[in-house]
């Protein structure tokens, strides 16, 4: 594997900084990533695939033109205008579901999501930190802490030397360490966001805190001022529309005084208030300037600070940026954000939020350290894994995430629709914990895309289980309701209903539409015929129960599980206990055709049938248990007979030229079974020897025979050792799938192989391709990637679950993990 510190080789400083974590992602500010990649585009499609999908291309272009050029709306997936790769991003600021502002690893504020699910990618050059050093009443050094040399604000001293600074990220915290050349002074800026497991209040706050610490190596005292400048807005055309205004504020409460500036951004839709503030303490002072021209030279600000290290208003120890919506709803009826439950929805919460953040961030850090330290201090875990595990969590907040409260007058009928007569705890759960949704990806604008959430859900259920439970209740409601409106599906060209009853939806809607009310924004396939969605609901229900012991949740979900499994049974065409795929890409690999019995969907099916047996046993439903035990016994025999080839499970049973390809995700069913302790004894579905053989084959072929074993596992590999090129997805690496594969390897005792497999993805994404905090869905061995900032890589938390399970088994080898038999 690569040098563990390839991103630091240009660092010429010696200062370690104060309190910087040992593990994490570290990069020198002078670093440049040398491999530019391009988004997957039309030029990357083979002639064979072009000819195969001519109809799709014509239908998509017609739909895309109408959507984007006529209706002036964003496409749910824009295949013609991908977001370009910028190798600049760092830890996002902000809690869960209230928007985010990303500060890049060179210090720029460069990615904005202040409206739910809507991103603006652009650096606002005026948003900067500036340091002023004064000795004996004279300013001896004043510098913008930025490498940029912009065409505006040329009255400022730009061009900080990046060789003397580094960035270190361990989400939800980050550090920037600056050695000030020639000054013998070191600054450490620590960034903290309130992202705290099992916390459903502070984790929702739209705030971040910067804590500055100074190390003075001089032989004389030095006065240090830190200026935080911020433009009113996100650098969009609305910034110039007029009507925005700023005002100073102070708030003293319980002996703590906070002062700052409110930046009211008065757009017609979705107005908001940004705030920057600092806590006044003994030995520090807070001064401000409410307005300057960010398009001018900026000399009035610069000279003001240079004169005496202060701004004209009559340097803080910590600074707090935040954002607050003026109103709790938007043009299409968004309800109140989660944080308004605690700070009000009148749009005037910024001062109180500032005060709360600046007086509670130390407590947040203690909780973050208590959560992270057991992992960070485990010497048996590689450092790259510690970085990946925590830094991939960025997507929980920066995945276009929304977390909203129910309207005060909301009742059961409003949530359930016409058919959801059960779900007795739906309203209490959503009223207590709100509604949660995150995008499939920043480029794939669909909320709670369920076939992908299946992988990512481990992060939620392990860290914020009530959000996973809430999400599942929302999915359950959509299952038992339908949308009879007809529309054309782009892949096949046929018209069909938007949503059928008793099937799991693909997603719960587009952020530009009415999520939860108008589901299935995905138009490529009619996913009512997909084979994996219903199964993934059942698998998550039991997994959630196994980890949370929430018996009321299991009771509510049980009828829904029965309904979706009844819908799924129709796909068992020959009544052999095993479902068949339909000869098109009818699962999460939505461009990879599968026909007949398949390793992926067949494995998920058997795992779901097994979990139906277990849930029926827990709930005392002997009749249903026997029904599914009979199916399971038949299905296991059919799966082995149709797919096992002596070394691994064939991709499918069609007998086509690629049917014996080695699929990296063939053990997905076993992955979930192992995570739930159902991988042995009477509930063993797949022979352990077969599982281990398949995983060893995947490691040999898909991992080690692909890119020298340095890039993770390719989705499909031919037995000859060449990547499967039968589809546009079979020769991709899917990062989230690789993390799930690694977890499965760890579960089955192949720990070294699991870490080696996952490490390839981390090194590729975070160190080679410069895709930190925007992990893509997919990349190929060379040239291209697809879909930046994607949900699925949150599956890395299933690796942690597998490791914890192995540790508990080792600690108590004679005590099997017990799950209550009855609620």
């Amino acid at each position: 594997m690569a040098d563990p510190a390839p991103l630091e080789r240009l660092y010429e400083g010696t200062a370690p900084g104060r309190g910087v974590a040992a593990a994490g992602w570290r990069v020198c500010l002078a670093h440049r990533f040398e491999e530019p990649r391009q988004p997957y585009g039309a030029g990357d499609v083979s002639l064979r695939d072009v000819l195969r999908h001519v109809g799709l291309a014509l239908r998509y272009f017609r739909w895309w033109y109408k959507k984007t050029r006529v209706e002036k709306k964003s496409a749910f997936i824009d295949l013609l205008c991908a977001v370009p790769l910028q190798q600049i991003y760092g830890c996002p600021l902000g809690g869960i579901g209230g928007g985010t502002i990303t500060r890049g690893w060179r210090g720029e504020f460069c990615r904005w999501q202040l409206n739910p699910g809507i991103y603006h990618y652009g650096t606002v050059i005026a948003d900067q930190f500036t340091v002023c050093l004064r000795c004996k009443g004279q300013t001896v050094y004043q510098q913008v802490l930025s490498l940029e040399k912009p065409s505006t604000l040329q009255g400022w001293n730009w061009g900080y030397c990046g060789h003397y600074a580094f960035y270190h990220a361990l989400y939800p915290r980050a550090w920037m360490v600056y050695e000030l050349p020639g000054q013998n002074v070191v600054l450490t800026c620590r960034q903290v966001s309130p992202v705290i497991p099992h916390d459903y209040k502070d984790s929702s706050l739209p705030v971040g805190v910067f804590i500055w610490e100074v190390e003075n190596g001089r032989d004389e005292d030095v006065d240090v001022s830190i200026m935080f400048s911020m433009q009113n807005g996100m650098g969009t055309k609305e910034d110039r529309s007029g009507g925005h205004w700023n005002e100073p504020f102070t708030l003293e409460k319980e002996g703590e005084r906070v002062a700052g500036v409110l930046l009211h951004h008065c757009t017609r839709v979705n107005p908001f208030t940004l705030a920057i503030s600092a806590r006044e303490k003994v030995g520090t002072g807070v001064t401000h300037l409410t307005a300057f021209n960010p398009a001018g030279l900026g000399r009035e600000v610069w000279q003001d600070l240079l004169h005496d290290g202060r701004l004209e208003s009559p340097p803080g120890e910590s600074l707090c940026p935040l954002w607050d919506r003026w109103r709790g709803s938007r043009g299409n009826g968004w309800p109140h954000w989660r944080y308004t439950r605690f700070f009000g929805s009148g749009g005037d919460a910024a001062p109180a939020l500032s005060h709360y953040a600046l007086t509670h961030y130390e407590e947040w850090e203690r909780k973050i350290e208590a959560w992270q330290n057991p992992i960070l201090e485990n010497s048996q875990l590689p450092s790259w894994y510690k970085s990946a595990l925590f830094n991939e969590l960025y997507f929980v907040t920066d995945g276009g995430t929304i977390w909203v409260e129910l309207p005060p007058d909301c009742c059961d009928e409003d949530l359930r629709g016409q058919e959801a007569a059960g779900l007795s705890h739906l309203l209490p759960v959503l009223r207590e914990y709100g509604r949660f949704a995150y995008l499939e990806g920043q480029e794939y604008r669909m909320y709670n895309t369920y076939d992908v959430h299946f992988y990512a859900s481990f992060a939620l259920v392990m860290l914020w289980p009530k959000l996973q439970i809430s999400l599942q209740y929302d999915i359950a409601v959509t299952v038992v309701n339908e949308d009879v409106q007809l529309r054309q599906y782009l892949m096949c060209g046929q018209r069909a209903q938007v949503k059928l009853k008793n099937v799991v939806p693909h997603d719960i809607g587009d952020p530009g539409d009415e999520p939860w009310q108008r589901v299935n924004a995905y138009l490529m396939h009619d996913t009512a015929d997909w084979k994996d969605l219903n199964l993934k609901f059942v698998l998550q229900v039991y997994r959630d129960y196994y980890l949370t012991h929430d018996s009321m949740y299991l009771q509510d979900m049980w009828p829904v599980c029965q309904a979706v499994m009844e819908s799924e049974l129709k796909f068992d065409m020959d009544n052999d206990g095993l479902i068949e795929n339909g000869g098109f890409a009818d699962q999460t690999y939505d461009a990879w055709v599968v026909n007949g019995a398949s390793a992926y969907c067949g494995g998920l099916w058997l795992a779901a049938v097994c979990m139906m047996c277990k849930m029926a046993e827990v709930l005392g439903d002997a009749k249903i248990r026997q029904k599914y035990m009979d199916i399971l016994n038949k299905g296991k025999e059919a799966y082995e007979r149709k797919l096992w080839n002596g070394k691994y499970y064939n991709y499918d049973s069609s007998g086509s030229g690629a049917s014996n390809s080695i699929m990296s995700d063939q053990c997905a069913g076993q992955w979930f079974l192992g995570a739930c302790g159902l991988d042995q004894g009477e509930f063993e579905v797949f022979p352990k020897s077969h599982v281990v053989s398949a995983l060893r084959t995947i490691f040999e072929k898909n991992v080690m025979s692909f890119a020298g074993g340095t890039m993770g596992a390719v989705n499909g590999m031919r037995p000859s050792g060449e990547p499967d090129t039968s589809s546009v997805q079979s020769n991709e690496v899917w990062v989230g799938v690789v993390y799930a594969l690694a977890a499965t390897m760890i579960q089955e005792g192949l720990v070294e192989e699991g870490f080696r497999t996952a490490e390839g993805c981390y090194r590729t994404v975070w160190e080679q391709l410069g895709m930190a905090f925007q992990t893509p869905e997919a990349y190929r061995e060379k040239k291209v990637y697809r879909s930046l900032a994607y949900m699925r890589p949150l599956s890395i938390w299933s690796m942690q679950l597998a490791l914890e399970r192995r540790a508990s088994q080792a600690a108590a080898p004679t005590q099997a993990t017990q799950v209550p038999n009855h609620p």
Side-chain angles (χ1 to χ4, degrees):
M1 281 293 172
D3 180 346
L7 310 185
E8 301 173 56
R9 63 182 184 273
L10 296 180
Y11 182 57
E12 298 179 11
T14 58
R18 289 181 60 84
V20 182
W25 181 72
R26 184 172 296 192
V27 57
C28 173
L29 268 60
H31 182 79
R32 293 292 183 272
F33 290 96
E34 297 174 357
E35 184 176 346
R37 287 237 171 172
Q38 298 299 319
Y40 185 85
D44 302 298
V45 183
S46 68
L47 178 60
R48 179 191 59 200
D49 286 322
V50 169
L51 296 175
R52 183 187 298 171
H53 296 301
V54 168
L56 165 65
L58 294 174
R59 286 186 291 271
Y60 179 84
F61 182 76
R62 285 198 300 267
W63 172 85
W64 177 89
Y65 186 86
K66 179 182 178 184
K67 186 78 171 180
T68 64
R69 298 301 185 262
V70 178
E71 298 177 7
K72 306 295 184 183
K73 296 180 179 179
S74 298
F76 72 98
I77 297 177
D78 197 329
L79 300 177
L80 302 179
C81 299
V83 174
L85 173 62
Q86 298 186 78
Q87 298 162 317
I88 62 174
Y89 297 119
C91 268
L93 286 160
I96 300 173
T100 49
I101 299 173
T102 295
R103 190 180 186 214
W105 55 267
R106 292 194 185 97
E108 61 271 75
F109 292 83
C110 51
R111 185 168 65 193
W112 307 76
Q113 189 238 156
L114 299 185
N115 296 324
I118 309 300
Y119 278 86
H120 172 67
Y121 302 91
T123 295
V124 181
I125 201 65
D127 295 355
Q128 299 290 346
F129 286 105
T130 297
V131 60
C132 175
L133 303 184
R134 291 174 58 80
C135 292
K136 300 176 181 178
Q138 298 294 319
T139 297
V140 297
Y141 180 86
Q142 187 160 298
Q143 174 73 52
V144 184
L145 296 174
S146 169
L147 281 64
E148 300 291 336
K149 296 180 180 179
S151 59
T152 57
L153 298 174
Q154 292 188 349
W156 296 11
N157 184 24
W158 296 90
Y160 177 84
C161 181
H163 293 276
Y164 292 93
F166 68 84
Y167 178 87
H168 186 97
L170 188 70
Y171 189 77
R173 297 194 294 174
W175 294 258
M176 296 194 79
V177 177
Y178 303 89
E179 285 193 30
L180 303 184
Q183 302 305 312
N184 207 9
V185 170
V186 177
L187 305 177
T188 300
C189 175
R190 187 169 75 255
Q191 170 185 319
V192 181
S193 292
V195 180
I196 304 164
H198 307 286
D199 180 297
Y200 300 93
K201 176 189 175 183
D202 289 4
S203 290
S204 73
L205 303 183
V207 302
V209 179
F210 294 106
I211 303 97
W212 287 85
E213 297 187 70
V214 180
E215 296 173 85
N216 180 18
R218 304 164 73 107
D219 57 6
E220 59 185 338
D221 291 342
V222 59
D223 293 325
V224 181
S225 298
I226 301 291
M227 179 176 74
F228 186 13
S229 55
M230 176 165 273
Q231 180 174 312
N232 188 332
M234 301 179 288
T236 64
K237 61 181 181 181
E238 284 80 11
D239 292 2
R240 301 185 296 274
S241 62
H244 315 309
W245 57 288
N246 308 329
E247 63 173 327
F249 79 92
T250 58
L251 178 61
E252 186 167 352
K253 184 179 179 182
E254 298 174 353
E256 295 281 0
R257 180 180 172 89
V258 166
V261 178
L262 304 177
L263 296 82
H264 302 297
H265 199 74
C266 308
T267 51
R268 182 179 59 85
V269 178
N270 296 331
F272 58 85
T273 295
L274 293 164
I276 53 177
S277 55
R279 181 171 58 173
E280 296 184 350
K281 297 177 65 176
V282 176
T284 68
V286 181
T287 60
H288 68 266
L289 183 70
T290 57
F292 70 97
N293 180 9
L297 294 175
R299 284 176 178 158
E300 69 282 9
V301 181
W302 192 262
Q303 294 299 322
D304 188 9
L305 184 66
L306 189 69
H307 175 64
D308 59 2
R310 301 171 60 85
L311 298 176
E312 68 176 20
S313 71
E317 178 260 356
S318 53
L319 294 157
C320 173
L322 62 87
W323 45 101
D324 177 35
R325 277 76 174 180
W326 284 21
R327 290 183 283 275
S329 63
R330 59 184 254 180
N332 64 357
W334 287 99
H336 296 308
W337 312 108
R338 171 71 174 182
Y339 76 88
T340 64
R341 179 188 185 104
F342 314 106
F343 287 88
S345 58
D348 55 358
L353 279 166
S354 296
H355 191 281
Y356 187 86
L358 289 168
T359 56
H360 286 77
Y361 75 85
E362 292 167 312
E363 177 186 344
W364 297 342
E365 290 196 275
R366 286 192 293 270
K367 291 179 178 178
I368 290 168
E369 289 171 357
W371 157 45
Q372 294 183 339
N373 280 349
I375 295 171
L376 299 178
E377 294 169 359
N378 185 342
S379 61
Q380 296 181 331
L381 298 176
S383 60
W384 70 261
Y385 170 75
K386 298 170 184 177
S387 173
L389 183 70
F390 292 112
N391 283 326
E392 292 288 9
L393 274 177
Y394 83 95
F395 196 83
V396 172
T397 61
D398 207 12
T401 312
I402 51 173
W403 187 4
V404 294
E405 292 286 282
L406 293 182
D409 58 351
C410 184
C411 62
D412 261 337
E413 291 73 20
D414 296 329
L415 295 173
R416 291 176 177 173
Q418 299 297 315
E419 303 293 339
L423 303 176
S424 60
H425 292 83
L426 170 68
L427 183 60
V429 167
L430 296 192
R431 191 172 293 290
E432 179 64 24
Y433 296 104
R435 280 182 141 165
F436 173 86
Y438 58 160
L439 295 176
E440 179 177 336
Q442 290 182 12
E443 295 189 76
Y444 286 16
R445 294 160 41 93
M446 295 157 285
Y447 274 129
N448 293 351
T449 298
Y450 202 71
D451 57 299
V452 182
H453 171 70
F454 170 73
Y455 295 82
S457 62
F458 281 89
L460 283 189
V461 76
M462 291 175 69
L463 302 175
W464 295 276
K466 297 302 184 182
L467 294 185
Q468 167 68 6
I469 297 297
S470 170
L471 186 155
Q472 286 284 89
Y473 269 100
D474 273 327
I475 293 293
V477 167
T478 68
V479 165
V480 296
N481 285 282
E482 64 180 342
D483 184 342
V484 299
Q485 179 183 352
L486 298 178
R487 63 181 181 183
Q488 184 185 50
Y489 288 93
L490 300 175
M491 186 66 75
C492 64
Q494 296 176 352
R495 293 175 64 81
Q497 280 187 213
V498 171
K499 167 70 173 62
L500 291 182
K501 185 178 179 180
N502 291 339
V503 298
V504 172
H506 175 273
D507 58 83
I508 57 109
D510 185 316
D513 196 358
E514 293 282 356
W516 293 295
Q517 304 302 316
R518 293 167 56 87
V519 303
N520 281 345
Y522 180 79
L523 282 172
M524 290 297 187
H525 295 276
D526 178 4
T527 58
D529 290 326
W530 275 20
K531 307 307 183 289
D532 60 339
L533 289 168
N534 295 329
L535 308 175
K536 288 173 175 177
F537 179 80
V538 174
L539 293 170
Q540 287 183 70
V541 166
Y542 182 72
R543 189 274 318 271
D544 298 345
Y545 167 68
Y546 177 79
L547 294 178
T548 66
H549 305 294
D550 189 335
S551 57
M552 295 301 179
Y553 165 75
L554 183 65
Q555 289 177 325
D556 272 357
M557 295 298 135
W558 179 235
V560 186
C561 288
Q562 293 180 70
V564 299
M565 289 298 281
E566 284 297 319
S567 295
E568 194 78 10
L569 277 168
K570 68 176 179 291
F571 298 129
D572 181 5
M573 304 294 187
D574 53 6
N575 197 34
D576 65 350
L578 187 65
I579 61 170
E580 285 82 37
N581 290 86
F584 67 102
D586 52 356
Q587 25 72 44
T588 194
Y589 298 88
D590 58 355
W592 195 356
V593 172
V594 57
N595 198 5
S598 70
Y600 182 70
C601 290
L604 293 175
W605 162 255
L606 293 179
V609 171
C610 175
M611 291 192 184
M612 288 294 288
C613 297
K614 185 62 179 178
M615 286 188 283
E617 178 184 292
V618 170
L619 294 168
D621 194 331
K623 182 178 179 181
I624 294 297
R625 185 184 188 278
Q626 188 59 52
K627 172 184 176 177
Y628 282 100
M629 283 299 297
D630 292 344
I631 294 171
L632 183 61
N633 290 330
K634 286 196 303 179
K636 288 195 296 184
E637 187 278 330
Y639 189 79
E640 297 295 324
R641 172 170 44 84
K642 291 183 175 182
L643 295 166
W644 179 250
N645 65 17
K647 293 189 67 177
Y648 61 91
Y649 294 101
N650 288 334
Y651 177 67
D652 67 23
S653 65
S654 66
S656 67
S659 68
N660 65 341
S661 284
I662 307 161
M663 186 188 197
S664 65
D665 211 4
Q666 63 184 269
C667 295
Q670 177 71 8
W671 171 45
F672 253 69
L673 289 170
C676 300
L678 295 178
D679 51 352
Q680 54 192 341
E682 67 170 319
F683 289 106
E684 181 180 89
V685 174
F686 310 99
K688 185 172 181 64
S689 62
H690 289 189
V691 172
V692 172
S693 176
L695 292 172
R696 289 192 186 279
T697 301
I698 293 166
F699 184 72
E700 175 192 348
K701 297 292 187 178
N702 300 57
V703 179
M704 298 308 296
S705 298
F706 177 75
T710 63
M711 296 183 75
V714 68
N715 283 340
M717 182 67 85
R718 301 295 300 137
S720 63
E722 297 293 324
D724 181 341
T725 59
S726 63
S727 87
V728 298
Q729 293 176 336
S730 56
N731 65 340
E732 291 181 325
V733 175
W734 286 12
V735 179
V737 167
V738 172
Y739 288 151
L741 168 63
T744 313
M745 290 175 171
I746 292 169
Q747 285 174 182
E748 302 302 324
L750 304 178
V751 178
E752 182 179 345
E753 291 88 341
F755 277 124
R756 178 68 182 267
T757 298
E759 183 180 1
C761 281
Y762 175 79
R763 301 286 189 198
T764 298
V765 170
W766 290 76
E767 295 181 354
Q768 180 182 341
L769 302 183
M771 295 178 176
F773 299 100
Q774 52 182 330
T775 303
E777 159 75 318
Y779 54 80
R780 289 187 175 173
E781 183 175 2
K782 298 178 181 178
K783 296 183 180 180
V784 299
Y785 66 87
R786 186 168 55 78
S787 187
L788 290 171
Y790 199 75
M791 176 199 291
R792 204 182 317 250
L794 286 170
S795 62
I796 194 171
W797 277 85
S798 68
M799 291 180 65
Q800 184 60 25
L801 181 64
L803 290 166
E804 291 174 4
R805 184 168 179 244
R806 282 183 59 81
S808 66
Q809 289 171 338
T814 61
Q815 299 179 14
T817 303
Q818 297 294 317
V819 175
N821 280 330
H822 297 283

